[in-house]
Amino acid sequence: MNGSGNNSAVTEFILLGLSADPRVQPLLFALFLMIYLQTLLGNLTLLLVIRADSCLHMPMYIFLSHLSFLDLCFSSATVPKLLENLLSQRKTISVQGCRVQVFFVFDSGDTEACLLSVMAYDRYVAICHPLLYGQKITNKLCNGLVWGSWGLGFLDALINILPAISLDFCKDQSIPHYSCELPSLFPLSCSDVSKNFTIQLCYSLLHGLVTCVLIVCSYTPIVSTILSISSSSGGSKAF
């Protein structure tokens, strides 16, 4: 920390992580490293298979490839820093690094939520209106839905992170998590965070509610259609 200005300006935070026990931390490191490597391997394999096989260049697999890439982004935004801190004596992250982490968690998480609702609509058309699938889910619409999801996720992350850039931190540096989360930064700030809290609450509720409603509205007729299929093999395949 440095002592310029009226407040003692915090330049880094301490991530308390999952455990302070030095005997447990190597075990946690091995566990999360294994999970992270499996995540990387699984999603990279899926991306390569979809890219290499021209038969898979269709909307369903295009959505799936973007979902895999988002999973990589979401994991990579937090897990590498967690692994570093599990092996380090100084479990710190800079204020700027914390803000960057918060931004990418918001961006990838919100984009993934949008993409899941898009994929639900894709399955709705495929199962409930199979004869019209090729007309309704065109490549142009597919690309528009994908990049629209990315754009909404980026916009949501930007709206949440921009007010947080002006926050001053002058209190306890400790964050009781293994990664930076926007709500955990509010108690550490000596600025007025009411605006930040309201923005995050409103956008989280709006984003979560809209995506959940879209998913439910897509899967309700899907389940109804599947249950109405007389053939047990056809119903199992649809499920």
Side-chain angles (χ1 to χ4, degrees):
M1 296 192 298
N2 58 63
S4 60
N6 296 329
N7 299 311
S8 179
V10 173
T11 58
E12 60 184 21
F13 299 118
I14 300 172
L15 295 171
L16 298 181
L18 299 172
S19 173
D21 190 338
R23 295 170 298 180
V24 175
Q25 288 178 358
L27 297 176
L28 290 174
F29 175 84
L31 174 64
F32 281 98
L33 178 61
M34 181 178 65
I35 294 172
Y36 183 55
L37 290 177
Q38 287 180 338
T39 300
L40 290 179
L41 180 62
N43 285 292
L44 285 174
T45 301
L46 193 60
L47 286 169
L48 290 174
V49 168
I50 292 174
R51 183 174 180 83
D53 192 344
S54 59
C55 295
L56 300 180
H57 295 174
M58 57 182 66
M60 181 177 73
Y61 293 103
I62 292 174
F63 294 141
L64 191 58
S65 64
H66 280 268
L67 189 66
S68 294
F69 182 71
L70 282 166
D71 196 21
L72 287 176
C73 294
F74 192 83
S75 302
S76 299
T78 56
V79 177
K81 189 62 181 177
L82 166 64
L83 295 174
E84 177 191 338
N85 284 343
L86 284 172
L87 294 181
S88 175
Q89 294 295 324
R90 296 184 71 252
K91 305 180 187 304
T92 60
I93 184 171
S94 68
V95 172
Q96 293 303 324
C98 190
R99 287 169 176 153
V100 169
Q101 191 177 78
V102 168
F103 175 82
F104 280 107
V105 168
F106 262 111
D107 187 16
S108 56
D110 290 347
T111 303
E112 188 165 335
C114 289
L115 194 61
L116 286 172
S117 61
V118 166
M119 293 175 73
Y121 173 71
D122 173 70
R123 292 300 84 203
Y124 160 74
V125 177
I127 293 174
C128 298
H129 305 283
L131 298 179
L132 298 176
Y133 182 79
Q135 299 176 25
K136 288 191 173 186
I137 308 296
T138 62
N139 287 335
K140 183 177 180 180
L141 177 62
C142 173
N143 290 329
L145 291 173
V146 165
W147 295 117
S149 298
W150 278 100
L152 286 174
F154 179 82
L155 180 62
D156 192 18
L158 202 62
I159 289 172
N160 278 280
I161 199 62
L162 282 179
I165 294 177
S166 60
L167 293 179
D168 293 321
F169 300 97
C170 55
K171 298 180 182 179
D172 181 18
Q173 295 173 269
S174 301
I175 296 177
H177 302 288
Y178 63 84
S179 65
C180 288
E181 298 175 1
L182 197 53
S184 64
L185 299 183
F186 294 158
L188 308 182
S189 177
C190 47
S191 305
D192 180 12
V193 297
S194 57
K195 178 182 177 182
N196 302 72
F197 179 78
T198 302
I199 290 174
Q200 190 198 6
L201 180 63
C202 290
Y203 273 89
S204 296
L205 288 175
L206 179 64
H207 192 88
L209 184 63
V210 170
T211 52
C212 282
V213 167
L214 290 175
I215 290 172
V216 170
C217 287
S218 294
Y219 275 102
T220 298
I222 285 175
V223 173
S224 177
T225 300
I226 291 174
L227 292 176
S228 66
I229 297 176
S230 57
S231 169
S232 59
S233 61
S236 299
K237 183 179 179 180
F239 265 120

